[in-house]
Amino acid sequence: EIVMTQSPATLSLSPGERATLSCRASQSVSNSLAWYQKKPGQAPRLLFYGASVRATGIPVRFSGSGSGTDFTLTISTLQSEDFAVYYCQQYKEWPLTFGRGTKVEIK
Amino acid sequence: EVQVAESGGGLFQPGGSLRVSCAASGFTVSSNCMGWVRQAPGKGLEWVSVIYDNGQTYYGNSVKGRFTISRDNFKNTLYLQMNSLRVDDTAMYYCATIPLAGTEYFQHWGPGTLVTVSS
């Protein structure tokens, strides 16, 4: 199975700062990569699919990039509502696999 | 508006069975791909199962042979039959829509239903 590795595990930042999250696949997934935001007590929220296609309603301060094995989620200017856990997921091959997540916390 | 809502969770014994449901509105379950994802307490997201619009099904390794995904076209509802329950099946179970076969990312999610397996 394709292993998705996210780094760092935790990112401590202040509102207004830039967040850069990494997701690496153990083999190429082309651009079959999605990003989700997860807050406690809430359902996950789709942010990006196709590595860089913003889902409906996602603010432009969020951007996704990469292809093959290396992907990046960037939040240009952190807002208070952006502090959450972010997961990547590949859908290139079965079984579908998620990374372990990156927690973006308030510094 | 596309909406899904899970139900059927609760406390169950190891070795037991249950069926969780996912009621859909704003779209037709039978004409769409859908899936289940779970999150154990303090853990990350784990894919469980997917059903295509043509009825083809897929399962994660940890549930293969124990769980069965299905749907009721008249009730417009997705199901997950869970047998031979284990303590490590304890999780919040989410259903979600998938836009198209071959693009299995999860688009619209329900609020989840909590399944606890404990003696």
Side-chain angles (χ1 to χ4, degrees), chain A residues 1 34 36 38 42-44 46 49 87 89 91 94-96 98, chain B residues 39 43-45 47 52 58 61 94 103-107 109-110:
Chain A
E1 77 178 43
Y36 304 88
K38 179 71 169 70
Q42 295 185 20
L46 175 67
Y49 58 93
Y87 294 93
Q89 176 233 328
Y91 50 94
W94 302 102
L96 307 179
F98 289 87
Chain B
Q39 184 175 33
K43 303 295 184 181
L45 301 175
W47 167 64
Y52 278 176
Y58 298 87
N61 292 335
Y94 299 99
T103 57
E104 291 84 6
Y105 59 88
F106 301 97
Q107 191 169 26
W109 298 67

Side-chain angles (χ1 to χ4, degrees), chain A residues 9 12-13 16-17 19-20 43 46 58-60 65 73 75 77 93 96:
Chain A
S12 298
L13 295 168
E17 291 193 293
T20 303
L46 175 67
I58 303 305
V60 296
S65 64
L73 173 67
I75 310 171
T77 307
E93 289 185 5
L96 307 179

Side-chain angles (χ1 to χ4, degrees), chain A residues 35 48 50-54 62-66 71-74:
Chain A
W35 288 97
F48 291 91
S52 60
V53 181
R54 196 177 288 108
F62 289 88
S63 62
S65 64
F71 302 87
T72 302
L73 173 67
T74 303

Side-chain angles (χ1 to χ4, degrees), chain B residues 66 78 88 106 108:
Chain B
R66 300 188 299 122
L78 178 74
D88 62 0
F106 301 97
H108 302 284

Side-chain angles (χ1 to χ4, degrees), chain B residues 26-107:
Chain B
F27 71 101
T28 303
V29 166
S30 62
S31 302
N32 285 270
C33 305
M34 294 190 71
W36 291 94
V37 174
R38 68 184 180 182
Q39 184 175 33
K43 303 295 184 181
L45 301 175
E46 180 188 14
W47 167 64
V48 174
S49 183
V50 160
I51 186 166
Y52 278 176
D53 50 352
N54 66 2
Q56 192 169 357
T57 59
Y58 298 87
Y59 298 93
N61 292 335
S62 60
V63 306
K64 199 174 297 182
R66 300 188 299 122
F67 290 10
T68 303
I69 191 171
S70 65
R71 60 195 178 202
D72 184 322
N73 298 341
F74 292 104
K75 294 184 178 179
N76 208 35
T77 298
L78 178 74
Y79 299 105
L80 185 68
Q81 177 69 39
M82 305 165 62
N83 298 331
S84 302
L85 286 168
R86 308 190 304 217
V87 172
D88 62 0
D89 292 322
T90 295
M92 184 71 80
Y93 284 76
Y94 299 99
C95 72
T97 64
I98 292 168
L100 196 65
T103 57
E104 291 84 6
Y105 59 88
F106 301 97
Q107 191 169 26

